[in-house]
Amino acid sequence: MNTLAIITKIELKKLFQRKDSWLMFTILLVPILYSVGLASNSDVITYTGAGNITAIGFAIVGRSLASEIENKSIRLYVNRIGVRKLIYGGKELALLIFSVFIDILLVITSIAFYYAVLIHNPKVASGIFYDSNVGMEIMQIVCNCIFWLTTIFLVMLMATKLKTLVCVGVYMILYIIMNLMSYIDGIKYLSPLHYIVAASSNSSQIMFSTILFSIYAICVGILFTHIGIRKIEKMDL
């Protein structure tokens, strides 16, 4: 097993062992509460906590690198491995895998509660697994997953310069800016949130938007990872 794979495995194990990482699983409450609320014929069901739940994820992302730089525990990696780009890459890859795992678990939970709870209320659930909207729904899932991955690239880069709490605060400010940018013609394509909006609008160009977002994420990932590696290689650890 090569060094990058070993580091990734160690970081994944650390993620699943940390208690704060398990806070990420609170996002699974969204489909559960929606299902229970709709099944019980609740008149008003709204959810405005997306920013709060994902902020937990951003804190975990930032803590993975920023906290180890703050408390100097990353020196153990540096002394044992020596190649800093492998340390950065391993941590980033572990977070990407962890994010995809959460996304898959969210989809499975949503489907499970659809059939376990909502199926008994024909007013809100048809019981049909595959219909004409399945393509759009898959693209929405893909775009949300890509957004999480893009977030990891960004916050990992910020973690090389900022402390944990500052990293989260700066990201929340950037999130607001990106949200505003997503509605401004000319610059909206620079905001990852624009593609989330496009995927949710039932547009005829949803496939094109998803492909464009994938290209966007790949370019951002390569650029931010390259900059992050260069920064950590120059740091006095």
Side-chain angles (χ1 to χ4, degrees):
M1 186 179 294
N2 60 43
T3 305
L4 179 62
I6 293 173
I7 296 174
T8 302
K9 183 178 179 180
I10 292 173
E11 290 301 316
L12 276 172
K13 185 177 180 180
K14 287 163 61 177
L15 279 171
F16 281 102
Q17 287 179 340
R18 287 206 321 244
K19 293 181 179 179
D20 55 355
S21 295
W22 285 88
L23 291 174
M24 285 289 291
F25 291 95
T26 56
I27 196 172
L28 300 179
L29 291 175
V30 175
I32 294 173
L33 295 177
Y34 259 106
S35 299
V36 173
L38 288 171
S40 60
N41 295 311
S42 178
D43 293 330
V44 179
I45 299 177
T46 59
Y47 173 63
T48 59
N52 294 328
I53 287 182
T54 50
I56 297 173
F58 307 148
I60 294 172
V61 171
R63 185 180 183 276
S64 178
L65 179 61
S67 63
E68 292 187 14
I69 293 176
E70 287 179 50
N71 59 28
K72 306 298 182 182
S73 61
I74 198 172
R75 287 178 177 175
L76 296 175
Y77 261 140
V78 176
N79 293 334
R80 290 174 57 186
I81 299 172
V83 184
R84 298 188 181 188
K85 66 179 181 180
L86 292 180
I87 298 172
Y88 187 96
K91 286 180 173 293
E92 187 173 73
L93 183 56
L95 288 164
L96 294 174
I97 294 173
F98 185 74
S99 175
V100 172
F101 173 76
I102 295 294
D103 285 323
I104 293 173
L105 201 58
L106 179 60
V107 172
I108 294 174
T109 302
S110 300
I111 295 174
F113 271 80
Y114 175 83
Y115 280 100
V117 181
L118 287 183
I119 200 67
H120 302 295
N121 188 344
K123 293 182 180 179
V124 296
S126 64
I128 300 174
F129 182 76
Y130 183 96
D131 58 19
S132 59
N133 294 321
V134 68
M136 180 189 71
E137 292 165 355
I138 292 175
M139 291 303 101
Q140 289 174 348
I141 294 171
V142 171
C143 284
N144 277 289
C145 183
I146 293 174
F147 174 68
W148 277 72
L149 302 183
T150 304
T151 297
I152 290 173
F153 292 131
L154 174 59
V155 182
M156 276 289 292
L157 174 59
M158 291 195 298
T160 61
K161 190 69 176 178
L162 305 174
K163 293 185 177 181
T164 307
L165 294 179
V166 178
C167 188
V168 177
V170 170
Y171 179 84
M172 296 309 296
I173 294 173
L174 290 176
Y175 184 92
I176 295 172
I177 295 173
M178 288 187 294
N179 189 40
L180 294 174
M181 288 174 58
S182 65
Y183 295 97
I184 301 175
D185 291 335
I187 62 173
K188 62 183 181 181
Y189 295 103
L190 297 177
S191 170
L193 291 177
H194 160 72
Y195 303 96
I196 302 295
V197 173
S200 303
S201 63
N202 198 16
S203 171
S204 59
Q205 296 185 340
I206 187 172
M207 178 63 75
F208 174 75
S209 297
T210 303
I211 294 173
L212 197 62
F213 194 19
S214 300
I215 297 173
Y216 173 96
I218 292 172
C219 293
V220 166
I222 293 173
L223 177 62
F224 287 2
T225 300
H226 175 71
I227 297 173
I229 289 174
R230 292 196 63 179
K231 281 183 172 291
I232 200 170
E233 286 180 338
K234 294 179 180 179
M235 291 178 66
D236 182 13
L237 301 174

